[in-house]
Amino acid sequence: MVHLQRHRCEEAQKKVSLKAVFKKISDVDVCGYPLSIFFIVVNEFCERFSYYGMRAVLVLYFRYFLKWDDDLATSIYHTFIALCYLTPILGAIVADSWLGKFKTIVYLSIVYTVGQVVMAVSAIHDITDTDRDGTPDNMTFHVAMSMVGLFLIALGTGGIKPCVAAFGGDQFEDHQEKQRSTFFSIFYLSINAGSLLSTVITPILRGQECGIHSQQKCYPLAFGVPAALMVVALIVFIMGSGMYNKTAPKGNIMLEVCKCIGFAIKNRFRHRSKTFPKREHWMDWANEKYDKLLVAQVKMVLKVLFLYIPLPMFWTLFDQQGSRWTLQATTMDGNFGILMVQPDQMQTVNPILILALVPIMDSLVYPLIKKCHLNFTPLKRMTVGMLIAALAFVAAALLQLQIDQTLPKLPKGVAGQVKFLNLNQAPLTVTINGTADVSVPAHQVNTGGYLTFDKPVRVVFNKNTSAGTDLTLMSQTRRTALVSPTLDMNLVYDLSKKPDDGMNAIRFVNGLGSPLNVTLGVGDIAPLSVSNYSLVPQGKAEFTIMNRGGASCLYSKELGFGSAFTLVIPSTFNIGSPDCWQAIQVVEDIKPNTIHMGWQIPQYFLMTAGEVVFSVTGLEFSYSQAPSNMKSVLQAGWLFTVAVGNIIVLIVAEAAQLPDQWAEYILFASLLVVVCIVFAVMSYFYTYTDPAEIEAQFRQPEHEPEEKKRDRVEMERKDSDCSKGSKGSDKKKRDSVVEQHNQDVKQSKM
């Protein structure tokens, strides 16, 4: 027993000693900064890398791995973003009212990490690819895993969003204001560094090919690296545990505000009779229970939140950079000479331009406007920012019109399209319904490209009316009619849309009388028949054509993005000759992407300029108009507008059902212009206030009890049914621990 007590004493002494060591380490300053903040900055860098890296490739994962169409991929993408901006409210309440910031960050980071790992596992096609053809056989499993992973990620990233920056601010003493200010600048830099690097790196990882049984686009690696970075973020954050200054939960001001508003509404409804005198503001009905200072602060917050009502429309357009604009880039040419840009890498233009435009706006544009004696108030800046964002979508619409010229033009209604491929050594004449003659050169397709028919037609070759053929086409499809030397016709299906992910679709037609084998995934081709399309990436593609005798011919072709070709091996093909490749005829089924991806830069520039003018100014305005202890309430309101904006994308995209993408861009731009006009009118009638001055008027404790007493007596006199209610207690004001600093404005990218 004595030995056990001695052992317990030794263990307790070790714990005390360990705490003392950590306390001593935490007191160590590095260049005037607490050692603990370096763990927080590294954690934030890794977390932002993890989030933005996963998000960069997400819409293409939906589109090309899960095989969803553009609309569904866009809808689920924006649902996820909306959820990421709704959960911060939950995280703030849990941290301030229950667990504290440290435990909230740790617990939700674990959830976050699990979600990233689940996403990486969901992208492994070999798990359900039983026939080893490169396509998952149980897509339901991958969809379910993806949805679970995204939900956990949204819960994790949103939950820790309001905690990490504030927890970093808690590490500084009152006399370290300058160091705290610099910390938030470094913190903001780590956010942008993580997002920029991840948006460059993860698309490169996605572009690699990996797999156990078949090589496919490496989405597991693109999701796996962000998952690994999240593990690192969690480990680094926990490593600094003993050095942190951990403040206990002190209650959440948002809950207090909600209770105050709820009581005011309930009290006003209870005293809706005309016998009760009207009050100057409906929030004054909370005076019987809450401090007049708190009521005045809530009034100021509601005044700003009312201005937030039109703001979600800006985020509706802004967040489509990761969905619609990324899908737009898949139909463009990403060859920048020495650099080959992936469609999802174009998103890096935004953070790069932000780092350039923020100092330009602050040090050049705004001072210039001020020198011109123009009253460019924050609300006017926000209005201009919304208009610039609308112009970005007009630019996207104009670009889309040019892209549409390179896309296949499918017939509408019941019509179908066909082209004739002549495998004969002599030219061919095709007569349609006995009237129209179409010329088809040897080993080529008919001049003029695809022919469109909305009903069955009679086809005659070389005026041989006794050997006519009836041709029936399926609606909204493309076919090629292979005409053999004996004038037999064989219909094969053509691609009717661009190949996925900027790939090129290549197939071969064997015009010889013997079978051939073609490498690079084409395989065996029977005589006078056509192979299936094989997807080939951009660059120089080399095909080896072999016959059964072992003779071969090397054929190479330089490929761009998004094209489809039929390569015809003619009957005159001499497989053993040195220049055998010259005999192969090229038929273009779908044009390559000829619009360069660089043409997206103007719309990114306009959108980023709009973001800098709108978002940064909006946060500055909100903080200047908010009470000192309610910055977190407005931050939650601001994040809520982002969530609502992403929900609007779902509603408009699903309800509008516009056939052309450029029309949808114009629709969104028009909606933002309308909302911008509404916001301009609301701004015109807004009166700027000084929260500190208003708060000072209510910090007179000697007057407060008497006023409350008069309110209670008056209410009791008129409210005979509620004589026992409304006793007007003096409720202590709950101050928030949220730090007020200008650098919070820079965290809009969080």
Side-chain angles (χ1 to χ4, degrees):
M1 188 69 177
V2 174
H3 176 73
L4 182 61
Q5 289 180 345
R6 184 182 303 166
H7 177 71
R8 287 177 177 174
C9 289
E10 289 175 354
E11 288 295 322
Q13 288 175 356
K14 287 180 180 178
K15 289 181 180 179
V16 172
S17 176
L18 193 60
K19 287 181 179 179
V21 170
F22 277 124
K23 178 65 178 172
K24 189 173 181 181
I25 294 175
S26 64
D27 291 338
V28 174
D29 285 351
V30 179
C31 300
Y33 296 91
L35 184 60
S36 57
I37 68 158
F38 295 98
F39 292 91
I40 297 172
V41 169
V42 173
N43 164 268
E44 185 65 12
F45 169 81
C46 294
E47 189 275 326
R48 290 290 86 185
F49 187 106
S50 177
Y51 173 74
Y52 280 107
M54 177 275 305
R55 175 174 158 174
V57 301
L58 187 59
V59 75
L60 297 186
Y61 169 74
F62 292 155
R63 180 66 184 83
Y64 300 130
F65 185 90
L66 298 183
K67 305 298 182 184
W68 292 346
D69 60 28
D70 288 358
D71 290 337
L72 181 57
T74 299
S75 298
I76 300 300
Y77 174 85
H78 287 285
T79 302
F80 168 69
I81 302 300
L83 196 57
C84 288
Y85 283 93
L86 285 173
T87 49
I89 299 174
L90 177 64
I93 293 173
V94 169
D96 292 342
S97 305
W98 182 28
L99 293 178
K101 297 185 188 72
F102 175 76
K103 288 184 178 179
T104 301
I105 294 171
V106 171
Y107 294 160
L108 289 181
S109 291
I110 294 173
V111 173
Y112 192 168
T113 305
V114 172
Q116 290 281 31
V117 172
V118 170
M119 274 300 296
V121 173
S122 74
I124 303 175
H125 67 274
D126 288 305
I127 293 178
T128 62
D129 185 15
T130 54
D131 56 4
R132 302 185 179 182
D133 64 348
T135 303
D137 297 320
N138 185 3
M139 196 61 77
T140 304
F141 168 81
H142 295 277
V143 171
M145 289 283 286
S146 300
M147 295 304 101
V148 171
L150 289 176
F151 176 77
L152 295 177
I153 292 170
L155 187 62
T157 188
I160 68 175
K161 193 184 294 288
C163 302
V164 181
F167 186 69
D170 290 344
Q171 308 310 307
F172 295 88
E173 303 294 337
D174 293 338
H175 65 277
Q176 294 179 303
E177 285 295 328
K178 183 179 179 182
Q179 288 87 345
R180 181 188 285 116
S181 176
T182 306
F183 160 73
F184 283 109
S185 295
I186 297 172
F187 189 82
Y188 173 74
L189 180 63
S190 71
I191 292 170
N192 278 278
S195 65
L196 179 60
L197 287 175
S198 64
T199 312
V200 172
I201 293 172
T202 51
I204 295 175
L205 300 177
R206 178 191 65 82
Q208 307 302 309
E209 292 190 348
C210 61
I212 300 173
H213 305 302
S214 60
Q215 299 293 302
Q216 301 295 327
K217 292 293 184 182
C218 206
Y219 288 101
L221 185 61
F223 290 136
V225 170
L229 264 291
M230 195 57 223
V231 172
V232 173
L234 178 60
I235 293 173
V236 168
F237 186 76
I238 294 176
M239 283 174 60
S241 174
M243 308 175 198
Y244 297 138
N245 175 26
K246 304 170 187 175
T247 57
K250 296 181 180 179
N252 188 270
I253 192 66
M254 282 189 290
L255 293 178
E256 193 70 13
V257 169
C258 292
K259 289 177 182 178
C260 183
I261 294 173
F263 179 80
I265 294 172
K266 183 173 68 175
N267 200 27
R268 176 67 185 92
F269 180 77
R270 188 171 26 178
H271 301 98
R272 60 188 180 277
S273 172
K274 293 182 179 179
T275 58
F276 298 99
K278 291 185 177 180
R279 301 192 179 183
E280 185 179 352
H281 192 282
W282 63 272
M283 274 304 303
D284 292 333
W285 289 94
N287 286 337
E288 284 76 35
K289 184 176 180 181
Y290 292 91
D291 274 350
K292 286 198 172 183
L293 174 59
L294 178 63
V295 173
Q297 290 171 330
V298 173
K299 288 180 186 177
M300 288 185 278
V301 167
L302 290 175
K303 189 178 178 183
V304 176
L305 290 179
F306 178 72
L307 276 179
Y308 280 4
I309 293 175
L311 303 190
M313 200 65 217
F314 173 86
W315 302 112
T316 298
L317 276 67
F318 178 81
D319 278 329
Q320 290 189 61
Q321 293 176 94
S323 57
R324 291 297 195 195
W325 287 12
T326 299
L327 292 171
Q328 183 187 60
T330 62
T331 59
M332 303 178 74
D333 181 5
N335 188 354
F336 283 78
I338 60 172
L339 185 64
M340 197 63 63
V341 176
Q342 299 292 328
D344 32 1
Q345 283 181 316
M346 282 302 293
Q347 298 173 59
T348 59
V349 175
N350 177 257
I352 291 172
L353 287 175
I354 279 181
L355 296 177
L357 288 179
V358 168
I360 290 174
M361 289 289 184
D362 289 340
S363 59
L364 184 62
V365 177
Y366 294 151
L368 225 94
I369 294 175
K370 190 175 181 180
K371 283 189 176 181
C372 295
H373 303 291
L374 296 175
N375 186 22
F376 200 38
T377 62
L379 293 179
K380 289 180 181 177
R381 292 185 196 177
M382 293 174 68
T383 305
V384 170
M386 295 168 82
L387 286 174
I388 296 174
L391 287 176
F393 261 59
V394 172
L398 295 175
L399 179 61
Q400 188 64 45
L401 284 171
Q402 299 302 312
I403 293 173
D404 288 347
Q405 302 302 315
T406 67
L407 300 179
K409 299 293 189 298
L410 287 178
K412 297 181 180 179
V414 297
Q417 291 182 327
V418 65
K419 63 184 177 184
F420 295 91
L421 176 56
N422 180 14
L423 298 182
N424 209 333
Q425 297 184 27
L428 178 70
T429 300
V430 181
T431 304
I432 310 295
N433 285 336
T435 56
D437 288 342
V438 178
S439 298
V440 188
H443 307 129
Q444 267 294 348
V445 295
N446 55 276
T447 55
Y450 284 99
L451 305 173
T452 302
F453 303 109
D454 57 2
K455 56 185 178 181
V457 294
R458 183 73 174 174
V459 177
V460 174
F461 300 121
N462 291 336
K463 304 294 184 176
N464 185 6
T465 56
S466 62
T469 305
D470 290 326
L471 176 61
T472 302
L473 300 176
M474 294 183 64
S475 61
Q476 299 184 26
T477 60
R478 284 183 159 185
R479 309 283 287 272
T480 292
L482 302 179
V483 183
S484 70
T486 58
L487 301 185
D488 293 323
M489 186 176 69
N490 178 27
L491 282 176
V492 295
Y493 280 100
D494 295 354
L495 283 182
S496 57
K497 63 177 183 178
K498 289 272 188 180
D500 288 345
D501 208 8
M503 300 288 280
N504 300 278
I506 306 295
R507 68 179 177 181
F508 282 80
V509 173
N510 180 8
L512 298 177
S514 58
L516 295 174
N517 179 275
V518 182
T519 59
L520 212 62
V522 177
D524 293 329
I525 314 173
L528 303 177
S529 63
V530 63
S531 69
N532 293 324
Y533 282 106
S534 294
L535 295 180
V536 182
Q538 180 273 342
K540 186 177 182 180
E542 293 187 342
F543 302 89
T544 302
I545 304 168
M546 296 177 291
N547 62 14
R548 290 188 175 178
S552 64
C553 177
L554 180 65
Y555 177 82
S556 63
K557 182 172 178 56
E558 197 69 35
L559 299 173
F561 294 89
S563 63
F565 292 100
T566 297
L567 303 178
V568 182
I569 302 174
S571 57
T572 57
F573 181 70
N574 186 355
I575 196 168
S577 64
D579 57 350
C580 57
W581 58 273
Q582 294 182 357
I584 296 177
Q585 301 295 310
V586 179
V587 177
E588 184 181 76
D589 298 333
I590 295 177
K591 294 180 180 179
N593 302 345
T594 54
I595 307 299
H596 198 271
M597 215 176 280
W599 285 107
Q600 275 198 323
I601 293 176
Q603 66 199 52
Y604 272 102
F605 176 82
L606 288 170
M607 183 59 75
T608 307
E611 178 192 7
V612 171
V613 176
F614 172 86
S615 181
V616 176
T617 304
L619 285 170
E620 287 176 350
F621 164 77
S622 302
Y623 274 65
S624 69
Q625 298 294 292
S628 57
N629 66 330
M630 294 196 181
K631 311 295 184 186
S632 61
V633 178
L634 286 183
Q635 180 71 6
W638 185 265
L639 295 175
F640 185 73
T641 65
V642 181
V644 174
N646 280 271
I647 293 172
I648 292 174
V649 179
L650 312 181
I651 298 171
V652 175
E654 293 298 326
Q657 293 293 320
L658 297 174
D660 298 312
Q661 186 57 52
W662 67 265
E664 185 179 289
Y665 288 146
I666 293 295
L667 173 62
F668 278 115
S670 303
L671 289 174
L672 184 56
V673 170
V674 172
V675 168
C676 184
I677 294 171
V678 173
F679 181 74
V681 173
M682 294 171 64
S683 303
Y684 179 78
F685 292 101
Y686 182 84
T687 304
Y688 290 84
T689 58
D690 184 355
E693 184 178 329
I694 294 175
E695 288 175 330
Q697 296 174 4
F698 287 92
R699 297 187 188 276
Q700 306 294 334
E702 64 272 12
H703 299 302
E704 192 70 18
E706 188 61 31
E707 290 177 3
K708 282 197 171 185
K709 184 177 180 180
R710 285 201 304 269
D711 288 340
R712 186 174 68 252
V713 171
E714 181 69 15
M715 192 63 65
E716 288 176 349
R717 184 179 66 80
K718 294 188 176 184
D719 190 5
S720 57
D721 294 333
C722 305
S723 58
K724 294 184 180 181
S726 182
K727 295 189 176 179
S729 62
D730 289 327
K731 191 176 183 65
K732 294 183 179 180
K733 181 170 67 74
R734 301 181 179 180
D735 291 327
S736 169
V737 296
V738 178
E739 292 291 334
Q740 180 181 3
H741 44 73
N742 292 332
Q743 282 70 20
D744 279 349
V745 172
K746 296 180 180 178
Q747 296 174 39
S748 60
K749 289 290 290 179
M750 295 169 57

